Amino acid sequence: GISEYSNEADGDIHLILFDLKDTNKTFVAEIPDPNCPSVKGSKYATKYQKCREEFEKYKLPKKKVLKGKYKIYGSFFFDKIHNVKGAPPFGGEIHPVLTIKKVK
C-alpha cells in the first residue's frame, strides 16, 4: 500500500510504500517530475508523464494518503542513506517509478 506521498523540492513525487502484512515495513518510491530538463530529454519522458497522470487519479482531496493496493513498476536504486522518511535501513528505493496501477 501507499501510506503517504509528498512533493519533493526537485519536483519528484515521494511515495512511502508499506508491506500489507506488516505496516512497519516501509519502502520509498519516486515518480519523476516530467518538467525536469534531464527527464524531458529521456527516452522515458512519455512514461513518466503517463505515470504522473495515473497517480493523479488516485489522490484523495486534501489528504496525503492513497487507499487500496497498487502495482508499482520501476528501477531499483540504492540511494545513499540520508534519513528519508519511509526509507528502509539499507537505502534502497524504486526510482524512477515507470508505472503505477490500482489493483481492484
Side-chain angles (χ1 to χ4, degrees):
I2 301 172
S3 64
E4 188 176 332
Y5 66 89
S6 61
N7 294 311
E8 297 292 294
D10 65 1
D12 291 353
I13 297 174
H14 179 91
L15 306 172
I16 299 177
L17 314 178
F18 66 91
D19 185 324
L20 295 173
K21 295 178 183 175
D22 182 353
T23 58
N24 291 315
K25 292 181 180 176
T26 60
F27 202 77
V28 170
E30 292 198 35
I31 303 171
D33 176 4
N35 296 311
C36 172
S38 62
V39 171
K40 279 185 175 183
S42 165
K43 66 181 179 179
Y44 298 106
T46 302
K47 277 192 168 285
Y48 300 143
Q49 181 62 43
K50 287 181 181 177
C51 184
R52 295 280 280 235
E53 290 168 3
E54 190 69 20
F55 172 78
E56 291 294 324
K57 293 179 190 177
Y58 307 133
K59 289 171 43 176
L60 297 172
K62 299 183 182 181
K63 294 197 177 182
K64 295 286 185 179
V65 174
L66 299 182
K67 300 287 185 188
K69 295 180 185 179
Y70 297 85
K71 282 190 178 185
I72 296 174
Y73 295 96
S75 297
F76 180 81
F77 172 72
F78 276 109
D79 201 357
K80 66 181 183 288
I81 298 172
H82 56 289
N83 297 320
V84 171
K85 186 174 183 178
F90 57 88
E93 60 184 59
I94 300 172
H95 189 184
V97 173
L98 295 171
T99 62
I100 182 171
K101 295 284 182 191
K102 191 166 190 174
V103 178
K104 296 183 182 192

